[in-house]
Amino acid sequence: MQGNRTFTMIKPDAVENNYIGAILEKINSAGFTIKAMVYTRLSKRDAEQFYAVHKERPFYGELVEYMSSGPIVAAILEKDNAVADFRTLIGATNPAEAAEGTIRKLYAKDISANAIHGSDSDENAQIEGRFFFSERDIH
Ligand code: CMP
């Protein structure tokens, strides 16, 4: 994944509220193509590992509990300038600060249950994508 790919998760709050379809529609309408996708659930250990980079943050425990609290959808997406354009599409981490029309503004509850994840760099997109998918899964 270089330059044109990013990684996303539709988080437990959005799955529970039946927003998967609406969110995928926004993603496709914005020009992203789905290259790999899975509906799954993180164990607590999976979430600890996935978010290990945030281990020292005060919200780490809450984040791990929340991300393992219910099913998610994980996907690899393709588009020119994927990482930056996807972060624009999803909006600010805190939905209260997210721009109108962004996925978090439309579908997120709060800064913890914020509906969707988007990688913050090409390098992290690759690392995060590999957490869920092998080369064989990516089309
Ligand atoms: P995301 O950017 O997908 O990955 C890290 C997550 O940590 C972030 O989404 C938020 O859901 C969560 N997060 C960031 N800051 C806070 C905070 N101050 N309190 C609770 N959760 C947070």
Side-chain angles (χ1 to χ4, degrees):
M1 272 189 278
Q2 269 182 354
N4 64 345
R5 291 200 177 172
T6 192
F7 169 81
T8 187
M9 289 184 288
I10 301 176
K11 298 188 181 184
D13 61 300
V15 172
E16 192 183 344
N17 289 321
N18 285 329
Y19 291 144
I20 295 173
I23 290 174
L24 291 178
E25 161 62 21
K26 291 277 291 176
I27 289 171
N28 282 149
S29 294
F32 291 88
T33 303
I34 295 165
K35 306 305 286 183
M37 186 161 68
V38 63
Y39 180 90
T40 187
R41 182 172 178 162
L42 294 172
S43 67
K44 209 174 152 190
R45 183 182 288 193
D46 290 332
E48 282 169 354
Q49 230 182 308
F50 185 87
Y51 284 109
V53 59
H54 295 306
K55 207 162 44 197
E56 307 307 325
R57 304 282 196 99
F59 55 81
Y60 179 67
E62 181 188 339
L63 178 60
V64 166
E65 285 299 325
Y66 166 65
M67 286 303 296
S68 56
S69 70
I72 62 157
V73 174
I76 292 173
L77 305 173
E78 188 170 86
K79 181 187 180 296
D80 287 348
N81 201 32
V83 165
D85 285 1
F86 194 69
R87 286 175 74 82
T88 301
L89 177 67
I90 68 179
T93 305
N94 185 349
E97 292 162 12
E100 289 299 329
T102 60
I103 291 174
R104 283 174 172 154
K105 184 69 175 185
L106 290 166
Y107 302 115
K109 217 157 56 180
D110 54 48
I111 194 169
S112 174
N114 66 353
I116 192 159
H117 168 80
S119 304
D120 64 3
S121 67
D122 289 348
E123 188 193 358
N124 284 336
Q126 193 161 33
I127 293 167
E128 292 168 0
R130 282 186 179 152
F131 190 89
F132 287 89
F133 303 105
S134 66
E135 283 307 316
R136 197 184 56 209
D137 302 319
I138 304 168
H139 303 287

